[in-house]
Every structure is written in C-alpha cells, then in structure tokens.
Amino acid sequence: MTTIGANLQQVRARITQACAASGREASGVTLLAVSKTFDVDAVIEAMKAGQMAFGENYVQEGVEKIQALRAQRPGHAVSWHCIGPLQSNKTRLVAAHFDWVQSVDRLKIAQRLSEQRPDGLPDLQVCLQVNIDGGANKSGVAPHELPALADAVRQLPRLQLRGLMCIPEPSDDPAEQMAVFLQARELFDQLRARGMPLDTLSMGMSDDLEAAVAAGSTLVRVGRGVFGHRPRKPAA
C-alpha cells in the first residue's frame, strides 16, 4: 500500500470512530482530500485508493491539475471543489472547471459564477463560507448577514446552494473547537428551518475532524492527513 493509501485508510478510520462516538453513520460524512501544492501523481495515487473528491485552494493550480488529470485518466468521475478565497478575476475559471465552490462569501462572486457557468455543465454546487469566530482569516460572511446572502444565492440560475463551510482559528482545545463548530451547525439548522434544502456542512480538517463530526459536519477537508506535509516552495 502506498503512503497516501495508508494515510487515507487512517483518516477514514478516524471518521468512522468519530461517527460511532457520536451515534452517526460513517456514510454521512464525506472525505475531501485537499490536494493543493501536490502534483497530479499524488492525486492519482489517492484515486487508486478510492478517493474521488479533491479540494484546491489556488484556482490556477487547480485548473491545471484538473485539465492534466482529465487528459491522463479520462472518464473518471472525480469531483473538484474550490475551497480557497475567490477573487472576481478568477470566477470564470472556477465556473468552467470546478464542480463545487465552498468559499462563496458575497453576492458579487455568486452572481459572476452564475453568469459564467458554461452551458452544458451541471449546476455549480455552492457552499457559503461563514466567518464564525471573527478570526484573522477574515474570509467568510458574517453570521448576521448569512440569511440574506443565502436567500439571494438561492435565486441565481446555474447554482445550487448546498450548505455552509467554515474555517475556525486553529485551537488545540477540543472544547473550543466544538464551540465554534456548534455555532456553525446552529446557523445551518436555522437556514434549514426556513425551508432551505441544505445537506452539506463543511467543517473539520486534519487536527479537528473529530470535534467537527461530533458537531454534525457532513464533509471534512483533510490535506496533511492524506498527502503528508506540503512540499516547500523553492527559494527565489
């Protein structure tokens, strides 16, 4: 078994154990392998171990990887998620190549994605990124602005609003991790109570997926736990 294959097995075991501890079915949590900075060969190794959903933070790098993989392994039903901050000048690339965007945090971006999604492709699956704890990452809509944004995005053609995504400030305290994730879960439940058919709560990464699963995450984003430490960029 390759290192990536072994890592995937370990992460899946963690998810299964976390679900069991929370009285949940493991099938209710999707593993998104975050492949940013890793090459196509690493993605292929993960695919050979059964992983078919990948997340990319950097749009240009992600598009190049998507195109290369489709050329090398045509016909494989891989799902690609854009999970990094999205600027207006990158929306056309994302709309044309990705299947999901988890980092929509303002209406302008959603409108551009809607307008630029090519004919013939399925609707772009969208999550709204929420800045739950007001942390230094700064990306994400403020919780009090979330309902209005969700209402507006739901009306846009070529997009399907699926749920919420959050990236809390790092913490080694499981109680702190849980508190933030429960806030996201509450926002998610509030939107569903208003009649929105949401099914995706994207939260939890390599260091805190257990707390995220306990709080109700349906999708965890794991990079280092799958691919190992990211390669260093060469010196300028």
Side-chain angles (χ1 to χ4, degrees), residues 24-230:
R24 300 180 59 190
E25 294 291 332
S27 59
V29 179
T30 297
L31 170 60
L32 184 72
V34 180
S35 47
K36 69 175 182 180
T37 74
F38 290 92
D39 60 19
V40 173
D41 289 341
V43 173
I44 291 174
E45 287 300 318
M47 289 172 61
K48 289 178 179 177
Q51 181 63 31
M52 302 300 283
F54 296 91
E56 291 285 332
N57 290 65
Y58 309 120
V59 173
Q60 189 62 50
E61 176 194 338
V63 169
E64 292 173 358
K65 211 172 295 182
I66 290 167
Q67 291 175 325
L69 187 63
R70 286 173 178 166
Q72 291 183 35
R73 298 176 74 85
H76 284 76
V78 175
S79 176
W80 289 96
H81 297 232
C82 177
I83 60 174
L86 188 52
Q87 298 175 338
S88 296
N89 63 350
K90 300 293 187 182
T91 55
R92 188 174 298 276
L93 280 173
V94 171
H97 294 280
F98 283 84
D99 304 295
W100 284 69
V101 182
Q102 295 196 23
S103 49
V104 173
D105 61 0
R106 55 196 189 278
L107 183 57
K108 177 184 177 181
I109 293 296
Q111 289 170 330
R112 291 177 65 89
L113 291 169
S114 172
E115 294 165 359
Q116 294 168 348
R117 184 67 167 174
D119 293 337
L121 291 182
D123 288 353
L124 189 61
Q125 309 300 294
V126 169
C127 288
L128 303 181
Q129 183 174 350
V130 188
N131 190 352
I132 295 291
D133 53 6
N137 74 83
K138 300 299 182 185
S139 295
V141 61
H144 70 277
E145 297 175 345
L146 175 63
L149 179 60
D151 284 336
V153 171
R154 281 191 72 197
Q155 305 306 314
L156 295 174
R158 311 308 316 281
L159 303 183
Q160 183 176 355
L161 181 60
R162 297 291 295 273
L164 304 181
M165 185 265 268
C166 70
I167 309 175
E169 288 295 289
S171 172
D172 294 329
D173 183 347
E176 289 183 1
Q177 295 171 0
M178 178 69 77
V180 176
F181 290 142
L182 285 174
Q183 291 179 56
R185 170 66 184 271
E186 183 177 0
L187 292 172
F188 179 76
D189 288 344
Q190 288 173 358
L191 293 179
R192 284 171 54 89
R194 296 179 59 197
M196 295 188 186
L198 308 182
D199 61 7
T200 301
L201 184 55
S202 172
M203 57 187 191
M205 298 185 283
S206 295
D207 293 331
D208 57 12
L209 71 83
E210 283 82 5
V213 168
S217 175
T218 68
L219 184 150
V220 294
R221 310 177 306 272
V222 179
R224 186 181 71 252
V226 172
F227 295 104
H229 290 282
R230 296 187 182 95

